Amino acid sequence: MLDRRIVSRCWAQSARNLHYMNAGSFGLPSLPVQKKLQDLIRSMSDNPINFFVHPERHGGLLYQAGVGLLEENRRFVAEKLGANAENFVLVPNTTTAQNAVVSSLVRCGHFKSRAGRPAEIVQTSFGYNATKNILQAAADDTGAVLKTAELPFPLESHEHAFEIIKEQINPQTRLVMIDAISSNEACILPYKKVVAFCREHDIPVFVDCAHAAGQLPLHLEELQPDFAAFSFHKWCFGAEGSGGLYVRPTWHTVIRPTAISHGANSESSSLSRFVMQFAWNGTSGDLGSLTVKTAWKTLESLSSHGVEGVVAANQSMLNEGVDLIRSRLGISAEKLMPPELRAPLMATIPLPPCRVRDLQQSLRDQNFVTQMGTGLSGGQPMIRVSAAPFNRPEQYERLAVALKREIPLFAP
């Protein structure tokens, strides 16, 4: 159970009659996070020198000393993700992390042809569009072949999905990109099996964890991917511009941020060159990463069982809500992702043929915020709904009624 008194103090959109059911896109920062961000902006603007250069005295950003809010947040989040802090850095978002890794691999010649055979990069059809663009750019720049494991919706099982992915991997594979939770399809992929297989065959593997933090328990040092990227504005409800990157020690001397600055040759007695490069890569007013600890502790406070309790309560609400919407629209359960493969806090429901963009706008005009599109196989319309602490069961009932009424109005 969630402590609804705390929830009501942390999010105010319910008072505005806003049915915000799309935490999976941009999250929704809690009021404590918003206040923290405002305080940081005020502190930075009042005296930038104190904020950037003397964090040990003023609690600001980390630059030359191994103290300050950036270092405090970095170590806190690393521990929550089961990562050694020396293998983890804060970045603005998952996309920034992926660009840093892939561009570094391009720079060091990792994707060069060998023995006359081009390198190969493997992704899945469930991958995020921005990620696909990053990998395609790397293939274009190096001559590598980008291969896609075509996954069906809904998946039959993790074993079936793993076999489809494994078929695309061979000795020429130089990188495998796998989502922990896919965005559009809202399903858990067999990322643990893929990581174990890649480790066994000495193939670098990158886990996209944009939707994982705040939904799945993570133990990065046990999982041991080569790389993992995070966004904390989604399911941790941090400020936009808060993300993370995990890199195995083997790659510390290879991976660089996309912006090289003073951190590249900073003389820090307490932090590695890898950490310093990402900590000090140009003056920035993007302070989202300094809110992650506040966001995480706020989330933990909502249940006596911490984040796990929050996930359990919201997952139950989501499953009931999805079943309600599905039944109201006459959609069979077999058309949806099986519950055991579904992301804990978001679900994708295929819709009857309709002008989905017009339908989405109509719903927004009625204060329903959801993710809709034609991203399923064959361009089938879909709606993705989320379950967050600020959502209530009656919102799914109201959405079901609205969909039942509106879909016929937007026939193709």
Side-chain angles (χ1 to χ4, degrees):
M1 295 292 291
L2 301 185
D3 189 327
R4 287 293 169 188
R5 295 171 301 173
I6 299 178
V7 172
S8 64
R9 292 198 298 267
C10 291
W11 285 277
Q13 92 294 335
S14 58
R16 305 196 305 269
N17 195 33
L18 178 65
H19 306 300
Y20 197 93
M21 307 169 76
N22 190 20
S25 285
F26 300 105
L28 190 66
S30 65
L31 294 178
V33 168
Q34 294 180 42
K35 182 180 184 304
K36 180 69 174 179
L37 187 60
Q38 291 164 0
D39 290 345
L40 288 166
I41 293 172
R42 186 179 304 110
S43 178
M44 178 181 66
S45 301
D46 285 350
N47 194 329
I49 290 294
N50 281 347
F51 187 79
F52 287 113
V53 181
H54 299 295
E56 69 278 13
R57 293 202 302 253
H58 301 279
L61 194 65
L62 165 98
Y63 268 10
Q64 293 184 338
V67 293
L69 286 174
L70 187 60
E71 183 67 358
E72 177 185 340
N73 278 267
R74 185 182 72 85
R75 291 186 175 276
F76 176 88
V77 178
E79 181 180 355
K80 294 297 182 181
L81 298 176
N84 183 323
E86 292 308 302
N87 300 331
F88 183 80
V89 292
L90 293 171
V91 294
N93 48 53
T94 296
T95 301
T96 300
Q98 291 175 341
N99 272 282
V101 169
V102 174
S103 63
S104 294
L105 295 179
V106 169
R107 187 195 70 249
C108 76
H110 182 72
F111 298 119
K112 284 184 178 179
S113 300
R114 297 176 188 171
R117 301 188 64 182
E120 296 181 0
I121 303 169
V122 174
Q123 63 180 356
T124 79
S125 57
F126 283 13
Y128 191 56
N129 183 63
T131 305
K132 291 178 179 179
N133 288 339
I134 295 167
L135 298 179
Q136 185 62 60
D140 292 343
D141 289 345
T142 63
V145 176
L146 179 59
K147 299 171 66 176
T148 302
E150 297 290 343
L151 301 175
F153 184 95
L155 293 178
E156 295 178 13
S157 66
H158 269 167
E159 290 71 22
H160 184 226
F162 174 62
E163 290 300 322
I164 294 174
I165 296 168
K166 190 170 68 171
E167 286 178 1
Q168 299 297 325
I169 301 174
N170 60 52
Q172 301 305 119
T173 304
R174 306 289 165 74
L175 181 67
V176 175
M177 180 73 72
I178 179 75
D179 293 77
I181 296 176
S182 70
S183 178
N184 199 57
E185 300 78 11
C187 76
I188 303 172
L189 288 175
Y191 67 99
K192 293 181 181 179
K193 288 178 177 288
V194 171
V195 170
F197 180 82
C198 289
R199 291 267 59 77
E200 181 182 350
H201 292 83
D202 197 28
I203 297 171
V205 58
F206 197 143
V207 182
D208 184 333
C209 294
H211 286 279
Q215 286 204 76
L216 299 176
L218 295 165
H219 307 282
L220 291 174
E221 299 301 341
E222 294 179 16
L223 181 63
Q224 283 282 292
D226 290 272
F227 317 104
F230 300 85
S231 290
F232 300 120
H233 64 272
K234 295 179 183 288
W235 300 103
C236 296
F237 306 100
E240 284 75 11
S242 55
L245 171 63
Y246 172 87
V247 176
R248 286 182 68 220
T250 306
W251 297 98
H252 282 192
T253 59
V254 175
I255 304 305
R256 298 176 181 174
T258 52
I260 305 298
S261 187
H262 296 293
N265 66 348
S266 175
E267 297 298 332
S268 172
S269 60
S270 58
L271 300 175
S272 69
R273 182 62 48 80
F274 167 70
V275 171
M276 279 304 301
Q277 284 190 99
F278 282 88
W280 194 357
N281 57 2
T283 303
S284 173
D286 186 357
L287 306 177
S289 292
L290 305 186
T291 70
V292 182
K293 181 178 180 180
T294 299
W296 205 297
K297 291 180 78 67
T298 299
L299 194 60
E300 289 177 328
S301 73
L302 304 181
S303 169
S304 59
H305 298 289
V307 174
E308 292 77 9
V310 175
V311 172
N314 289 330
Q315 184 174 22
S316 176
M317 177 175 62
L318 176 70
N319 287 338
E320 292 178 6
V322 167
D323 192 56
L324 173 66
I325 294 170
R326 175 195 64 75
S327 61
R328 288 288 180 87
L329 298 181
I331 300 170
S332 66
E334 291 73 23
K335 298 289 186 181
L336 274 65
M337 197 67 65
E340 65 272 16
L341 303 183
R342 190 182 298 162
L345 302 180
M346 61 181 185
T348 294
I349 304 170
L351 297 175
C354 62
R355 303 196 314 274
V356 68
R357 295 302 181 192
D358 294 336
L359 173 61
Q360 183 177 35
Q361 186 58 56
S362 179
L363 291 175
R364 286 178 178 171
D365 292 342
Q366 300 170 60
N367 285 336
F368 289 101
V369 181
T370 64
Q371 177 68 21
M372 303 181 72
T374 55
L376 299 183
S377 57
Q380 183 175 9
M382 47 74 69
I383 182 170
R384 191 189 69 194
V385 294
S386 300
F390 44 78
N391 291 128
R392 302 298 291 267
E394 57 266 25
Q395 291 179 310
Y396 301 90
E397 168 72 31
R398 293 171 182 169
L399 178 60
V401 171
L403 286 169
K404 180 76 171 178
R405 179 184 64 247
E406 297 289 319
I407 288 175
L409 302 179
F410 296 97

